[in-house]
Amino acid sequence: MEFNWSAEDEAFRHEFRSWLEANLPKDQKRDDGLGMMREDGADDWKRRLEWHRKMHSGGWVGISWPKEYGGRGASLVQQLIYNEELARANPPMLVNGLGIMLVGPTIIHWGTEEQKKRYVPKILSGEEIWCQGYSEPGAGSDVASLQTRAVEEGDYFIVNGQKVWTSDAHHADWCILLTRTDPEAPKHKGISYILVDMHSPGVTVRPLVQITGDANFNEVFFEDVKVPKKNLMGEKNQGWQVAITTLMFERSGIGGGRDMLGQVKELKTLAEMVSHNGGSAWDNSDVRQKISQFACEASAIKYTGYRQITRRLKGLPPGPEGSVLKLAASELNLRMNKFAMELLGPYSQMEFKAPFAMDKGKWSYRMLSSRALTIAGGTSEIQHNIIGERVMGLPKG
């Protein structure tokens, strides 16, 4: 990849930075760094929705998506610059994270022209929020063993089944749903990928309260839900191919979209705050060595993300780098949060925003939520298998 930005790219950076400085109110509460797992009530959702709409009105949502569907047509290099400037400004998160990270790119890649024009613009505007219906109570990491069924009836599929750990389902208007349409086929066959209106009769959403106290995960039930056949994405019984495309976007998004170096800097600041033997924890060479190691790993993740960009610049879909990014970033995040608990000692027991909590208690929240990222998008164990078998060519265990 060429790391010398062109004059056009630098002009793009200046334009976006200037727009953020002009449009992000000085008293606007910035993102607290707790990530997309945070669910802070109706007022927070409204605040994020308003910010999303302002970003969209300025043409700053889905910037690399084609102009004919409402995007900006920006290059992938400019997408990288965009992510860097967002990390620098630290604004509130957009409301349609899954729609932008997973659904839109999948529809652009696999959808019919009618589907692209119908769904993509409203993903960008935030008019329609999306969720992902993959995992089931008996089919978590082994998604292909799913049992949700879709039976043809005239111009419709009739869907019955259950999904679980469905992020943002309680806000969602639409769902990308994996269903079994041929129960006699081998488990990776006979699966179809359909788009389901979450307001359809027979759809029930029940929030699940996590260890953090948030409830942005859900279980979703489908009881005789009618879905028009025109909502099929790709070919019937060939939905696994479409699902893998979505997973590649998800894994590269989870890994490549995280500001790991920024988190390292926050950890350094925490070490400087914590008292230790008459000074700060940062004065301890072992602590500095540990945080320096985290910085090295975060830099490696950053440049692996650049490799992913290079692949996309060649016109290829996301590749195995997505699994590497997802595995490395989620595991590094977990280890950094564990180390923060060691630094905090007794203060690590204080909840987020609790009185007297050091650094607002955000590290204990991060610790409790960080395990989720080692599961979402395919567990770390699954990523090890993918990398070992499909990248390194090792025999199956």
Side-chain angles (χ1 to χ4, degrees):
M1 180 174 177
E2 176 59 61
F3 291 101
N4 295 317
W5 310 128
S6 68
E8 182 182 359
D9 292 334
E10 289 294 356
F12 173 85
R13 183 190 298 276
H14 176 74
E15 180 187 1
F16 186 39
R17 183 179 295 185
S18 298
W19 187 91
L20 285 171
E21 290 174 351
N23 287 275
L24 185 62
K26 300 304 179 184
D27 60 348
Q28 171 74 64
K29 177 187 174 184
R30 304 298 178 92
D31 182 51
D32 53 22
L34 301 181
M36 63 186 301
M37 311 306 292
R38 179 71 178 151
E39 177 77 14
D40 203 17
D43 289 343
D44 181 62
W45 179 262
K46 180 180 178 182
R47 175 182 69 93
R48 289 171 53 201
L49 181 59
E50 290 173 352
W51 175 246
H52 185 119
R53 288 170 175 165
K54 178 175 280 193
M55 286 275 286
H56 178 257
S57 67
W60 296 111
V61 180
I63 62 162
S64 62
W65 295 13
K67 291 182 179 179
E68 59 264 38
Y69 308 124
R72 195 182 183 94
S75 70
L76 288 169
V77 170
Q78 289 171 344
Q79 176 72 60
L80 177 64
I81 292 171
Y82 172 90
N83 291 339
E84 290 178 348
E85 290 303 310
L86 278 182
R88 177 180 178 274
N90 195 28
M93 290 184 65
L94 302 180
V95 295
N96 210 3
L98 293 177
I100 294 167
M101 181 170 67
L102 313 179
V103 182
T106 302
I107 293 177
I108 290 170
H109 188 81
W110 283 99
T112 64
E113 191 63 24
E114 180 184 356
Q115 288 170 336
K116 293 174 186 178
K117 289 180 177 179
R118 161 63 184 85
Y119 297 110
V120 173
K122 291 188 177 182
I123 292 173
L124 293 177
S125 66
E127 291 176 69
E128 294 178 343
I129 307 300
W130 286 75
C131 63
Q132 178 184 17
Y134 274 30
S135 295
E136 298 184 3
S141 296
D142 186 14
V143 174
S145 63
L146 62 90
Q147 295 301 311
T148 294
R149 300 287 181 91
V151 178
E152 291 185 73
E153 187 176 289
D155 293 331
Y156 294 88
F157 291 109
I158 307 300
V159 178
N160 284 278
Q162 179 186 355
K163 299 293 179 176
V164 74
W165 315 125
T166 312
S167 301
D168 283 344
H170 56 308
H171 294 302
D173 301 293
W174 286 87
C175 177
I176 48 173
L177 187 71
L178 284 188
T179 66
R180 190 160 295 285
T181 44
D182 183 357
E184 304 303 321
K187 72 176 187 178
H188 286 87
K189 306 291 184 181
I191 291 174
S192 294
Y193 189 113
I194 59 178
L195 312 179
V196 179
D197 184 344
M198 291 291 285
H199 303 293
S200 301
V203 177
T204 302
V205 178
R206 296 178 184 170
L208 297 169
V209 179
Q210 296 125 239
I211 194 172
T212 59
D214 294 337
N216 62 319
F217 289 158
N218 304 268
E219 54 183 352
V220 185
F221 300 86
F222 301 88
E223 299 176 72
D224 294 329
V225 178
K226 295 177 68 174
V227 181
K229 287 185 177 178
K230 66 179 182 179
N231 290 13
L232 177 69
M233 182 76 64
E235 296 182 19
K236 180 186 171 184
N237 296 329
Q238 301 299 318
W240 187 247
Q241 297 175 350
V242 187
I244 289 298
T245 301
T246 300
L247 286 173
M248 290 299 98
F249 283 119
E250 181 176 26
R251 289 163 185 168
S252 60
I254 290 175
R258 295 184 62 79
D259 181 22
M260 304 305 297
L261 283 169
Q263 193 168 338
V264 173
K265 292 176 182 177
E266 289 184 80
L267 193 57
K268 174 181 179 292
T269 300
L270 178 66
E272 293 170 336
M273 294 170 58
V274 173
S275 298
H276 180 75
N277 291 337
S280 73
W282 183 248
D283 296 330
N284 186 312
S285 61
D286 289 338
V287 171
R288 296 197 302 273
Q289 180 76 19
K290 188 73 172 179
I291 295 177
S292 297
Q293 178 63 37
F294 291 149
C296 292
E297 293 182 52
S299 295
I301 290 171
K302 175 182 177 180
Y303 289 108
T304 300
Y306 286 175
R307 288 178 59 196
Q308 179 84 321
I309 293 292
T310 301
R311 180 180 175 89
R312 299 284 302 282
L313 287 171
K314 294 178 179 179
L316 300 172
E321 296 89 355
S323 287
V324 174
L325 278 171
K326 195 273 176 183
L327 174 64
S330 60
E331 291 292 336
L332 176 59
N333 175 62
L334 178 62
R335 286 187 287 113
M336 284 199 289
N337 290 328
K338 283 184 176 180
F339 187 67
M341 297 296 96
E342 295 178 24
L343 288 175
L344 286 166
Y347 284 93
S348 66
Q349 301 175 69
M350 292 187 174
E351 296 180 342
F352 179 50
K353 294 183 179 179
F356 309 112
M358 189 171 292
D359 207 4
K360 299 182 180 180
K362 70 182 181 184
W363 292 98
S364 61
Y365 180 96
R366 286 177 171 177
M367 180 63 235
L368 292 173
S369 65
S370 58
R371 183 68 68 180
L373 290 176
T374 69
I375 299 171
T379 65
S380 292
E381 292 77 11
I382 292 293
Q383 306 311 319
H384 278 293
N385 286 343
I386 291 172
I387 295 166
E389 295 170 11
R390 302 181 192 176
V391 181
M392 302 177 68
L394 300 177
K396 293 186 177 182

